[in-house]
Amino acid sequence: MLLTDLLHPGILEALAGAGHGARVLLADGHYPASTATGDRARTMHLNLAPGLLDVTTVLDVLLTALPVESAQVMVPPEGEPEPPAIAEYRARLAPAPVETLDRFAFYDAARSPDLALAVVTADVRTYANLLLTIGVRAVETPGTR
């Protein structure tokens, strides 16, 4: 039995093959995952029904299993308010920096060959997409487990 909260076999496999600098996309239910992801990425569909599983819930579980070095979020056009989901992500990811990208720059970033995993959720919030960059695991001193 695993000690992490993350138990999804496909997600675990994709993360095990990813390393420092690899990226993980957590996509809302509106995201065009078939066209706006990297060619090498594994895609996991967790979008069973609208609103059933959101990006924040997936993020909370992923944070039990991997270090995050930085993140990028998709923001609406200039002049529109920042979506509440982004404040949630900043709070959970602190002190990691969270960069904002417009929609098309975000799509370009998610098409990177460094994208190891795309998780499609059923999040119905607009602009709830999140792109994580995997950090480095802290070195443990022998006998401190």
Side-chain angles (χ1 to χ4, degrees):
M1 185 42 108
L2 298 173
L3 296 176
T4 177
D5 289 343
L6 178 59
L7 300 177
H8 189 285
I11 294 175
L12 284 168
E13 181 181 4
L15 292 176
H20 178 226
R23 292 177 164 193
V24 175
L25 169 65
L26 303 182
D28 65 27
H30 311 285
Y31 193 86
S34 64
T35 60
T37 57
D39 293 338
R40 299 177 187 173
R42 297 224 18 214
T43 301
M44 301 294 152
H45 294 276
L46 303 181
N47 50 343
L48 181 64
L52 190 59
L53 186 62
D54 65 19
V55 170
T56 304
T57 302
V58 175
L59 174 62
D60 287 343
V61 175
L62 286 182
L63 290 175
T64 70
L66 62 88
V68 174
E69 180 175 284
S70 62
Q72 296 171 311
V73 292
M74 181 190 291
V75 293
E78 193 172 323
E80 292 186 31
E82 186 173 272
I86 294 173
E88 287 181 16
Y89 304 156
R90 282 196 179 102
R92 283 166 166 77
L93 293 167
V98 178
E99 178 187 6
T100 59
L101 298 174
D102 69 39
R103 187 175 81 170
F104 295 106
F106 189 94
Y107 291 161
D108 288 343
R111 287 186 184 108
S112 162
D114 291 334
L115 188 70
L117 173 65
V119 179
V120 181
T121 72
D123 203 328
V124 294
R125 300 175 294 177
T126 56
Y127 295 96
N129 302 296
L130 178 62
L131 188 59
L132 305 172
T133 300
I134 298 173
V136 177
R137 181 179 174 158
V139 177
E140 294 179 18
T141 306
T144 61
R145 254 189 193 217

